[in-house]
Amino acid sequence: MPRALAFDVFGTVVDWRTSIIGELEMFGETHEVAEDWASFADDWRGGYPAAMDRVRSGELPWLKIDALHRLILDELLDRAGIGDLPDVDVAHLNLAWHRLDPWPDTVDGLTRLKRHFVITTLSNGNVSLLTNMAKRAGLPWDCVVSAELFHHYKPDPEAYLGCADLLDVAPGELMLVAAHPSDLRAARDAGLMTAYVARPMERGPNRRPPRVEDEEFDVTADDFLDLAAKLGA
Amino acid sequence: MPRALAFDVFGTVVDWRTSIIGELEMFGETHEVAEDWASFADDWRGGYPAAMDRVRSGELPWLKIDALHRLILDELLDRAGIGDLPDVDVAHLNLAWHRLDPWPDTVDGLTRLKRHFVITTLSNGNVSLLTNMAKRAGLPWDCVVSAELFHHYKPDPEAYLGCADLLDVAPGELMLVAAHPSDLRAARDAGLMTAYVARPMERGPNRRPPRVEDEEFDVTADDFLDLAAKLGA
């Protein structure tokens, strides 16, 4: 049994796609712009691993996810021919990532898990993003840990090991909970326990969820309530 | 009005002295040792500014407060002639600083303030200490910020400015709440707003509380409920 649980956030805790599409639709109505906002949302999210890799490789200095999201957003707005909208509105849209809604089981599951374990974020999202999100969505974290604290984005091992160090637990006493096998594999390589939670709708109804082998991770769960049951919480 | 409130913890949020004396008395009973535990508690706390200064000056490398508390504790136990007790028991006693009780108004006050402001710790206590304390005492932080994240103990300006940066607020939008004028003065020098909360019993019934001039700080309050009222929360 782990002593602490560290949660990936985008996709695992919150349904970023539905929230971002909704924010983009509002933005489009305000500015009387018609776009395929679902594709726009997918492209916005899709630009993020490459942007992080530019930081991870040293091509860019450390930048918060808010800044990376803005770089990608500005490119997408330019490409859509609407790169000239007021900065205050684009800045507000960029902070849509602070206003993501949780999956239906998230708050109940975290509340159960919190009774038995220290529960923290371990996200590439910056501290203010995670803090604002938790406040709005009622996510009952014991603490807010971000790649920002280490200036190392996941899957760099510094992020996983740094989280264990801050919580004063051994890597093997910390369990990463994530919907993404690549994140879990990097955590496992750093010595953490791992729990895969299926979020089949993360990328929308037309994309297949990742394929995960039985037994690849310490726990495989359908959602956070199932995870709580499997961890005895 | 501030956008976020950062709280000093030892003495401001929790009554360290009563809690530590209680833990020392239990420790004494278990090991059948009679000491003046109130003085022992005061000496333990009293050794902490000097220990931090050894880190701040570079004489010692970065060490968490848990490690500094242990250095001081080992010296005090040696001096009392009981330096040979089992390490597991001394280690448990050292973590008494994770188990401090809040002042009677703390949880209600923080709960009110949280509805209107982002509320975070800004403590020299390490992240695990603050996380474990909050979990045990029900402190409803939006996020847990510690000097540990900056490797700079208060009153170094990096701690105050680093907290504002993590929350993505300007220094002038962040208010430090503390029972200690020296902490508040350093925060003010770094550009923060300041709220002094009187904790006249922090050092016990026989020590005078600090003298604070009217108007020296942006807000002066009798406790967290008074602070909430004065901030419109």
Side-chain angles (χ1 to χ4, degrees):
Chain A
M1 277 289 167
R3 288 177 60 195
L5 306 178
F7 289 77
D8 173 63
V9 171
F10 299 125
T12 301
V13 170
V14 292
D15 174 8
W16 60 265
R17 190 172 187 271
T18 304
S19 298
I20 292 294
I21 293 172
E23 293 259 1
L24 286 166
E25 286 172 348
M26 283 196 298
F27 180 81
E29 279 172 33
T30 302
H31 295 286
E32 298 181 342
V33 181
E35 277 288 325
D36 177 349
W37 294 119
S39 292
F40 194 105
D42 290 337
D43 290 345
W44 199 359
R45 177 69 178 171
Y48 150 95
M52 279 196 304
D53 283 345
R54 291 174 66 194
V55 173
R56 293 178 64 226
S57 70
E59 180 195 336
L60 288 178
W62 177 260
L63 290 172
K64 300 186 188 206
I65 283 289
D66 281 346
L68 298 180
H69 278 146
R70 182 63 192 262
L71 287 175
I72 305 161
L73 176 59
D74 285 341
E75 271 183 35
L76 293 174
L77 292 174
D78 273 343
R79 202 189 302 167
I82 46 175
D84 56 350
L85 296 172
D87 182 72
V88 62
D89 294 347
V90 177
H92 178 78
L93 175 61
N94 194 56
L95 296 185
W97 296 91
H98 294 219
R99 299 185 295 266
L100 304 178
D101 291 322
W103 298 105
D105 54 280
T106 291
V107 173
D108 286 351
L110 290 180
T111 302
R112 275 173 60 181
L113 290 160
K114 181 174 177 154
R115 287 190 211 119
H116 290 73
F117 306 100
V118 169
I119 60 169
T120 183
T121 58
L122 178 55
S123 169
N124 286 333
N126 39 273
V127 169
S128 66
L129 180 156
L130 297 169
T131 300
N132 293 337
M133 175 195 288
K135 201 169 177 69
R136 179 180 170 280
L139 308 176
W141 304 121
D142 288 312
C143 105
V144 173
V145 175
S146 161
E148 182 182 14
L149 302 181
F150 316 113
H151 283 205
H152 277 283
Y153 281 117
K154 294 188 295 180
D156 286 353
E158 287 86 349
Y160 307 104
L161 297 174
C163 182
D165 179 55
L166 285 180
L167 298 179
D168 276 316
V169 298
E173 296 174 323
L174 179 62
M175 175 177 273
L176 183 75
V177 181
H180 311 124
S182 58
D183 194 5
L184 292 166
R185 287 175 192 136
R188 189 183 54 202
D189 290 347
L192 274 65
M193 299 180 75
T194 52
Y196 173 74
V197 176
R199 294 300 192 191
M201 293 299 291
E202 177 185 354
R203 292 169 183 281
N206 302 321
R207 290 279 296 276
R208 278 204 203 153
R211 179 188 298 252
V212 175
E213 302 293 330
D214 279 356
E215 312 291 324
E216 180 172 3
F217 302 113
D218 296 307
V219 178
T220 298
D222 295 328
D223 60 23
F224 285 3
L225 299 172
D226 188 34
L227 178 66
K230 285 178 170 161
L231 292 176
Chain B
M1 276 290 166
R3 288 177 60 196
L5 306 178
F7 289 76
D8 173 62
V9 171
F10 299 124
T12 301
V13 170
V14 292
D15 174 8
W16 60 265
R17 191 173 187 271
T18 305
S19 298
I20 293 293
I21 293 172
E23 293 259 1
L24 286 167
E25 286 172 347
M26 282 197 298
F27 180 81
E29 280 173 33
T30 302
H31 295 286
E32 298 181 341
V33 181
E35 277 288 324
D36 177 350
W37 294 119
S39 293
F40 195 104
D42 290 337
D43 289 345
W44 198 359
R45 177 69 177 171
Y48 149 98
M52 280 195 303
D53 283 345
R54 292 174 67 193
V55 173
R56 292 178 64 228
S57 70
E59 180 196 335
L60 287 178
W62 177 260
L63 289 172
K64 301 188 189 205
I65 283 288
D66 281 346
L68 298 180
H69 278 147
R70 182 63 192 261
L71 286 176
I72 305 161
L73 176 60
D74 284 342
E75 271 183 36
L76 292 174
L77 291 174
D78 273 343
R79 202 189 303 166
I82 46 175
D84 55 351
L85 296 172
D87 182 73
V88 61
D89 294 346
V90 178
H92 177 78
L93 175 61
N94 194 54
L95 296 184
W97 296 91
H98 294 221
R99 298 185 296 266
L100 304 179
D101 290 323
W103 297 106
D105 54 279
T106 291
V107 174
D108 286 351
L110 290 179
T111 302
R112 275 173 62 181
L113 290 160
K114 180 172 176 157
R115 290 192 207 114
H116 291 74
F117 306 100
V118 169
I119 60 167
T120 183
T121 58
L122 177 54
S123 169
N124 285 335
N126 39 272
V127 170
S128 66
L129 180 157
L130 296 169
T131 300
N132 293 338
M133 176 196 287
K135 201 170 177 70
R136 178 180 172 281
L139 308 176
W141 304 120
D142 288 312
C143 113
V144 173
V145 175
S146 161
E148 182 182 12
L149 303 180
F150 316 113
H151 283 202
H152 277 282
Y153 282 117
K154 296 188 292 180
D156 285 355
E158 288 86 348
Y160 307 104
L161 297 174
C163 182
D165 178 57
L166 285 180
L167 298 179
D168 275 315
V169 298
E173 296 173 324
L174 180 62
M175 176 177 272
L176 183 75
V177 180
H180 311 123
S182 58
D183 193 4
L184 293 166
R185 287 175 191 135
R188 190 182 55 201
D189 290 347
L192 274 65
M193 300 179 74
T194 52
Y196 173 75
V197 176
R199 295 298 193 192
M201 293 300 289
E202 177 184 355
R203 293 170 182 281
N206 302 321
R207 289 280 295 275
R208 278 203 205 152
R211 179 188 299 252
V212 175
E213 301 294 328
D214 280 356
E215 313 292 323
E216 180 172 1
F217 303 114
D218 297 306
V219 178
T220 298
D222 294 329
D223 60 22
F224 285 3
L225 299 172
D226 188 34
L227 178 66
K230 286 178 170 161
L231 292 176

